[in-house]
Amino acid sequence: MSDPQVVARLRAAGCVWAEDEAALLEEAAASPDELEGLVVRRAAGEPLETVLGWVAFLDRRLVVAAGVFVPRRRTELLARTALERTRAVPVGRGRPVVVEMCCGVAPVAASLEGTHAEVHASDISAAALACARSNAPSAALHLGDLYGALPTGLVGRVDVLAANAPYVPTDRVAAMPPEARDHEPLVALDGGVDGVDLHRRLAADAARWLAHGGVLLIETSPGQAGLTIGAMQAAGLATRVETDDEVGGCVAVGVRPDVVSR
């Protein structure tokens, strides 16, 4: 049973699930002094996940750290869809090539550990990539902005390109929960005026990097899915939207035609 004083302190700080959080913090602490430090950080408003150093994601514990974007459960749909599309690549095409763009701590790449895919993950945050190295040790990691981070040898070879690029409209960032707004990088949250600036950039160059029949997967919101899909269609991709109400996930899917236009 958790220490009642710890529970009371967390509850007073506004933690809705104070009992559960106290149990996790007590499990993580190696000593009373360490527990005190963790409780102080959590009571001050730091996200539970970065206090613990991990977040639960598809039956895994992904390493996270202060100052990085923490994967949400909704992104499990993106990861599951990427895994399904990877497994669907015809054997005759050889080893599937997968890229997780704007990877953060690499939840999608982590879900592909143990497959035979050639996995790449990229982000502009060195701190996020340090976590990604632990979560997806088999993936090749690249630091840089979108396609500029990728080796040119991937041009025309990518079977699955998945991205959880920021999609919160600029004027809505201030209304986000303080755990995200005050503790996660703005660049990982702000998606521009309508939230899909990066989606347009991803879609515009996707066909150059995708193999014939390759797929672009972008996490979006139901309200912005039409804009994300429109960007994919403008780039010549065949589109549809996948949703999962249980986790609140929404993924725009764009497929490069499997034949070369004449």
Side-chain angles (χ1 to χ4, degrees), residues 147 158-159 161 199-218 228-240 252-259 261:
Y147 296 102
V158 180
D159 296 295
L161 199 164
H199 296 187
R200 293 188 182 94
R201 291 178 60 197
L202 285 164
D205 289 335
R208 176 170 177 256
W209 291 84
L210 291 175
H212 296 295
V215 62
L216 172 64
L217 308 173
I218 301 180
T228 306
I229 287 294
M232 290 181 172
Q233 291 173 342
L237 306 180
T239 61
R240 69 175 187 276
V253 180
V255 180
R256 183 184 177 188
D258 199 18
V259 295
S261 299

Side-chain angles (χ1 to χ4, degrees), residues 85-96 116 159 258:
R85 295 299 304 222
T86 300
R87 289 172 172 166
V89 173
V91 175
R93 288 177 58 162
R95 191 180 180 197
H116 70 297
D159 296 295
D258 199 18

Side-chain angles (χ1 to χ4, degrees), residues 157-188:
R157 296 183 52 228
V158 180
D159 296 295
V160 180
L161 199 164
N164 179 17
Y167 56 91
V168 179
T170 301
D171 63 2
R172 297 184 191 173
V173 172
M176 294 185 71
E179 290 180 336
R181 184 186 67 229
D182 298 339
H183 293 274
E184 295 181 326
L186 180 61
V187 70

Side-chain angles (χ1 to χ4, degrees), residues 64-223:
V64 296
V68 305
F69 180 81
V70 177
R72 276 58 160 173
R73 193 176 175 212
R74 68 176 73 97
T75 302
E76 290 181 356
L77 175 61
L78 179 69
R80 293 199 316 266
T81 305
L83 181 58
E84 291 167 2
R85 295 299 304 222
T86 300
R87 289 172 172 166
V89 173
V91 175
R93 288 177 58 162
R95 191 180 180 197
V97 177
V98 183
V99 172
E100 181 179 10
M101 193 80 75
C102 305
C103 70
V105 304
V108 174
S111 74
L112 295 170
E113 285 291 309
T115 70
H116 70 297
E118 175 187 339
V119 181
H120 298 259
S122 67
D123 201 275
I124 62 171
S125 167
L129 288 180
C131 295
R133 193 169 305 280
S134 295
N135 297 326
S138 298
L141 304 182
H142 310 284
L143 178 65
D145 183 43
L146 298 187
Y147 296 102
L150 301 181
T152 56
L154 292 178
V155 170
R157 296 183 52 228
V158 180
D159 296 295
V160 180
L161 199 164
N164 179 17
Y167 56 91
V168 179
T170 301
D171 63 2
R172 297 184 191 173
V173 172
M176 294 185 71
E179 290 180 336
R181 184 186 67 229
D182 298 339
H183 293 274
E184 295 181 326
L186 180 61
V187 70
L189 304 174
D190 189 343
V193 174
D194 60 5
V196 296
D197 280 2
L198 269 73
H199 296 187
R200 293 188 182 94
R201 291 178 60 197
L202 285 164
D205 289 335
R208 176 170 177 256
W209 291 84
L210 291 175
H212 296 295
V215 62
L216 172 64
L217 308 173
I218 301 180
E219 179 175 313
T220 187
S221 71

